[in-house]
Each structure stands twice: as C-alpha cells, then as structure tokens.
Amino acid sequence: MRIRVVDLVNNFYNDENFQSRDKTKRLGEYCCLGYFDALDVKSLDRVPSEKVNIRRQVDQNTIQKLDGNSNRRNVICITDDDEKDAEFWQEADQMPFLFISLIRMKYNQKDGGLESDGLSALVTSINAHKNEVMAYYTYGHSDMVVFRYGNNYLENLEEVCSRYNTVQIFKMYSIFAVKEKYLHPNVALSDEQVMCRLHAVVKNMQYINDYIMELKRVLRVEIKCFDTLGNSDLLIEIPCVSLNELLKCYRMGEILTHSNDIYQKAFFNIESHVINVKEREIETLNKLEEV
C-alpha cells in the first residue's frame, strides 16, 4: 500500500508579518492557479501499521511546515497499486502540468451503493488504462482523487471535464498546477491561446491603475477591468493571451504573485481562472434558434 499526501497551500493576506518573509522562497513544488496558491505531493516516509493513525502522522508533518505566512489543507491519497504509483510519479516529474480532481461519487438513496460500478472497480479501471492518469482512494468529503499530468492545458482541460460523461459524479473539484521549475523565463511552455480572469481583493485602490498598466506592459495584450461586488472588488479580464507568457507571471517575484512589490501595494489577493477561448456549444439554444 502506498500513501501520498497532497499539501494545498494558501498565502495569508499581506500584512506586516509578510514584509519580513523571504520573497524568493517558493510555497511548494507546484504553483496553483485558482483558489489555492501552491501544492506539494509527498509520499509518507513509511506505511503506518494498524496502531498508527494516518491522519495524526500527516498532521505532524504539516505542523513542521507552519510558518505563520500560509494556510494548509491536506488530502490523503491511498492506493494498493504500488507499481503504477511509482511509474506515474516518475513520468509526472518530467511534465510541467498537473491536474488534480477531488471526486465525490453519486450514490443510490435506496441502498447506499454506487449507481455505477463499485468504487474499487472504478479506481482499478482508471489505473489500468492511460499512463498519464492515476486514481487513488481518499476519505472525508471526497471518495476518490484522480491525478493527470501533461504539457498541454486545453487538451487536458477537456479530458478532465469529459469525466462527467464517463463517471457517476455527484461533485468534482479540480485543481490546475504548474511545476515551479518550469516557470523559468528560459523554459518554453505550451503556447496555447487562453482567456484569463483575475478576481482581485483590493488593498489600496490608488495603486490599481499602475498595476494594470504594468500587467499590460508585461503581457502585451488587451486587458479590461470591471468593478464588482461579493468576494472580490475587481474583475480583471484578459480576453486572449499566450499561456506560456501568462504562466511566467506566476514565478516568484513576478507580477501575479504575492511576492511582487506592485501586487503587494494594490491587492490583498488575486484568484486566477484560466479559461478556454473556445466557447462551449449549448445544444438547447441551438435547437431553439433552428425553431
């Protein structure tokens, strides 16, 4: 049995404590775009015996990483396929992108069982097919965690979304992560064209214009900015941009990270969403237009 732990990290909002932090120190092996800022995937040093509580061992490892600058959440992943696990992570280490889906299955209300195949059969089936995909058992709100590595964003985005058509999913939450070492300016990543929306929590409105102008200069594309209410104060929309150019902005110290000086003056936080520029076809609307 192999146990891996996904350590998800969020920066605390910038405050006086953040100013003394080493701005060049990365939060994790992977940079995340979305709600989370970074992540690590680690194998437990040893497989716990029946007398050792897995959660306690994971919590002890987490406590050692606490530094007052970030919040952490752990997802425990368990597999009995040691061979596939070793092969998957050996290949994933050579790829820039990692996609992680936390899945809660759909159950029958009558007998509590899965509507489709049992969970064990489903995990076995996923792991028996594609080398770039690995499924694990987990517990808590989710039933299963599925990892996928690759070097193309849009193709893998479609593959992740297609899971709704092949698996009886009640709820799925997916994370897009990029290996920090691939964010170096001299490394060429996927040159796909994507849309990006940045949901920003403003710290000081007087620095917003300077920030937007600098972001335009760096990306060399059109940028739109909208006032909004709710969890964010501004919606910054980049209608079309090279994914390669966009991801370079997430390297430590660059303009889309907490460690950037202009970012720190303008914002508490920015949450990024990378979107397919190709619009999804809505079949119902198309049929109505035909009528």
Side-chain angles (χ1 to χ4, degrees), residues 3 11 25 57 95 103 169 183 209 221 254:
I3 299 175
N11 265 309
K25 183 180 179 181
Q57 184 174 355
M95 290 290 179
I103 299 174
I169 295 174
L183 297 178
N209 188 67
V221 295
E254 297 300 329

Side-chain angles (χ1 to χ4, degrees), residues 4-8 55 58 73-77 102 138 145:
R4 293 192 181 268
V5 180
V6 183
D7 185 18
L8 298 165
R55 173 59 68 182
V58 171
R73 176 190 170 191
N74 292 316
V75 179
I76 297 173
C77 307
L102 283 66
T138 189
V145 181

Side-chain angles (χ1 to χ4, degrees), residues 9-254:
V9 187
N10 273 109
N11 265 309
F12 287 148
Y13 282 171
N14 298 346
D15 55 18
E16 290 75 12
N17 292 327
F18 193 89
Q19 305 306 316
S20 61
R21 174 182 165 180
D22 181 1
K23 297 178 183 179
T24 63
K25 183 180 179 181
R26 65 188 189 186
L27 287 176
E29 184 180 5
Y30 287 87
C31 166
C32 294
L33 278 68
Y35 176 77
F36 296 102
D37 295 313
L39 68 82
D40 282 313
V41 182
K42 300 295 184 183
S43 175
L44 287 186
D45 294 335
R46 58 189 175 85
V47 177
S49 66
E50 294 180 359
K51 295 182 180 180
V52 178
N53 184 287
I54 298 175
R55 173 59 68 182
R56 183 179 300 173
Q57 184 174 355
V58 171
D59 288 346
Q60 288 175 346
N61 291 343
T62 301
I63 289 172
Q64 296 174 3
K65 300 177 183 178
L66 295 179
D67 57 5
N69 289 314
S70 59
N71 184 37
R72 293 177 179 272
R73 176 190 170 191
N74 292 316
V75 179
I76 297 173
C77 307
I78 304 169
T79 182
D80 54 6
D81 191 343
D82 290 7
E83 182 176 351
K84 175 66 183 287
D85 171 270
E87 292 175 354
F88 176 86
W89 290 106
Q90 183 177 5
E91 292 298 323
D93 190 53
Q94 308 304 316
M95 290 290 179
F97 301 155
L98 187 66
F99 302 82
I100 305 173
S101 296
L102 283 66
I103 299 174
R104 182 170 177 80
M105 303 298 298
K106 192 178 290 184
Y107 290 85
N108 287 322
Q109 294 182 350
K110 183 177 180 181
D111 58 12
L114 290 175
E115 285 190 354
S116 57
D117 294 338
L119 181 60
S120 177
L122 180 58
V123 169
T124 300
S125 175
I126 292 174
N127 290 339
H129 287 80
K130 299 180 179 179
N131 293 334
E132 68 269 21
V133 180
M134 178 78 191
Y136 292 81
Y137 304 103
T138 189
Y139 50 84
H141 180 73
S142 302
D143 301 302
M144 177 174 63
V145 181
V146 180
F147 294 85
R148 184 182 189 89
Y149 63 72
N151 55 15
N152 180 290
Y153 177 74
L154 295 177
E155 178 182 315
N156 284 284
L157 171 65
E158 292 180 1
E159 288 291 335
V160 171
C161 292
S162 69
R163 199 165 286 133
Y164 282 105
N165 301 322
T166 58
V167 178
Q168 293 294 319
I169 295 174
F170 175 72
K171 183 179 181 182
M172 180 169 72
Y173 180 83
S174 296
I175 300 165
F176 171 49
V178 186
K179 229 180 212 313
E180 281 277 353
K181 69 180 183 180
Y182 287 97
L183 297 178
H184 193 278
N186 295 330
V187 177
L189 293 170
S190 176
D191 200 28
E192 306 164 87
Q193 296 299 302
V194 297
M195 180 190 302
C196 183
R197 287 180 178 163
L198 308 172
H199 299 265
V201 181
V202 175
K203 182 178 184 180
N204 193 324
M205 195 64 77
Q206 75 179 70
Y207 293 109
I208 297 303
N209 188 67
D210 291 342
Y211 182 88
I212 297 298
M213 295 305 294
E214 178 64 12
L215 187 61
K216 281 185 176 183
R217 186 193 68 78
V218 171
L219 292 176
R220 304 186 300 277
V221 295
E222 176 189 1
I223 295 177
K224 301 177 181 179
C225 190
F226 306 90
D227 293 310
T228 185
L229 300 177
N231 293 331
S232 57
D233 304 301
L234 288 179
L235 171 61
I236 303 169
E237 184 176 271
I238 308 171
C240 189
V241 63
S242 162
L243 181 64
N244 181 58
E245 295 299 319
L246 178 67
L247 292 179
K248 302 304 182 186
C249 296
Y250 291 90
R251 187 174 178 233
M252 293 302 296
E254 297 300 329

